[in-house]
Amino acid sequence: MGGVKPRAVALAFRAVALAEACSWAGLLFGMFVKYVLATSERGVQIFGPIHGGIFVAYVVVAVVAARVLRWNATTTLLALAASVPPLATLWFDRWATRNGRLPVPEAAPTS
């Protein structure tokens, strides 16, 4: 994976981590409507497959990030484990950035 830039991988990881957390939130809302309010299954029918697809994408991007960013086994396992609890991918993103495991995004140019 020599041609892949670490900052590009970090950006992709952050985007997929955010999408995974948002899809979790949508699925949790759908489950609330289905099981607590017992009014509709539509939210689960919509967000279930969306979350499933993004979950798989997160795992793939996490493995690529681990390789390109040279994460140790502990960091890699934390990244993968963060895909299971709701919104934990956001926690992992912050933790990895704070501990130097994810490159900090470049500041946008100002005029």
Side-chain angles (χ1 to χ4, degrees):
M1 306 213 160
V4 181
K5 295 182 180 180
R7 288 198 187 273
V9 171
L11 181 63
F13 181 85
R14 283 188 174 92
V16 175
L18 177 61
E20 203 272 346
C22 290
S23 71
W24 243 129
L27 182 57
L28 288 172
F29 178 76
M31 289 172 24
F32 176 80
V33 170
K34 179 179 179 177
Y35 296 111
V36 176
L37 301 180
T39 57
S40 175
E41 293 184 18
R42 198 62 153 159
V44 173
Q45 292 170 344
I46 292 169
F47 285 104
I50 290 171
H51 176 68
I54 295 173
F55 171 85
V56 171
Y58 175 85
V59 169
V60 169
V61 171
V63 169
V64 170
R67 202 159 148 131
V68 171
L69 301 174
R70 296 185 175 139
W71 288 345
N72 61 24
T74 302
T75 302
T76 303
L77 288 174
L78 273 176
L80 294 173
S83 66
V84 179
L87 311 177
T89 55
L90 298 178
W91 167 83
F92 178 81
D93 181 342
R94 284 182 155 192
W95 177 85
T97 301
R98 204 174 41 241
N99 291 294
R101 297 227 187 21
L102 270 176
V104 178
E106 292 181 16
T110 59
S111 51

